Amino acid sequence: MYDQPRSNSYQPSMTFEEMLERVRHEGAYSTRDHAAGAVHQVLTAPGRQLTGDERVDLAQCLPVEAALALTTSVPNSEPLTGRDFVTDLASRTGASPATTRWDTGAVLATVARLTGPGLLARILHQLPEGYALLFGQAELRRPEPAAA
């Protein structure tokens, strides 16, 4: 049996230029080029963490240029917590962890607006702890199984 094409319930609701302006505003960057650098660096990193339908659906929500940044990275076999994600990204870019955390928050808060609450919940469910704050959301504890 062949997979049926899924309907794309989210079309990119902003152009890449509009996304850069939103990130520039969120991050208080002085130039659009700084925002574009942050978008590219930050979006290649979640591409290494997300797999399956969430990765595909997220890419469909983003403007093409941002989706390409997300999908060019091969997913890691070992997921990183939100904190380790920022540390790994800082080491890859040569920026300080504080700057990387700022950039990540500016970009992922904008991405959260583009995804809608249902997809964002699915993304956060797939990722280890610590990502909700990076997306500008409250970090809720996942229920732990009761002791037998």
Side-chain angles (χ1 to χ4, degrees), residues 3-74:
D3 288 334
Q4 296 297 317
R6 290 188 323 243
S7 64
N8 182 4
S9 60
Y10 288 99
Q11 292 293 326
S13 60
M14 62 176 73
T15 66
F16 187 63
E17 292 301 315
E18 291 168 333
M19 182 180 186
L20 291 181
E21 270 307 304
R22 173 68 76 171
V23 169
R24 190 177 74 75
H25 176 74
E26 287 282 337
Y29 301 127
S30 59
T31 67
R32 187 175 284 186
D33 287 341
H34 192 158
V39 166
H40 179 73
Q41 289 175 350
V42 170
L43 286 182
T44 57
R48 291 189 294 272
Q49 298 298 306
L50 286 173
T51 59
D53 290 343
E54 288 74 19
R55 179 182 169 110
V56 171
D57 293 346
L58 175 57
Q60 289 177 340
C61 292
L62 299 173
V64 172
E65 299 88 341
L68 289 172
L70 176 79
T71 58
T72 57
S73 300
V74 176

Side-chain angles (χ1 to χ4, degrees), residues 34-118:
H34 192 158
V39 166
H40 179 73
Q41 289 175 350
V42 170
L43 286 182
T44 57
R48 291 189 294 272
Q49 298 298 306
L50 286 173
T51 59
D53 290 343
E54 288 74 19
R55 179 182 169 110
V56 171
D57 293 346
L58 175 57
Q60 289 177 340
C61 292
L62 299 173
V64 172
E65 299 88 341
L68 289 172
L70 176 79
T71 58
T72 57
S73 300
V74 176
N76 286 343
S77 59
E78 188 172 322
L80 300 173
T81 65
R83 180 180 179 156
D84 292 339
F85 171 85
V86 171
T87 302
D88 179 64
L89 183 56
S91 71
R92 289 175 186 270
T93 61
S96 73
T99 299
T100 302
R101 171 63 180 89
W102 184 269
D103 292 346
T104 301
V107 173
L108 294 184
T110 302
V111 168
R113 286 187 182 93
L114 290 169
T115 63

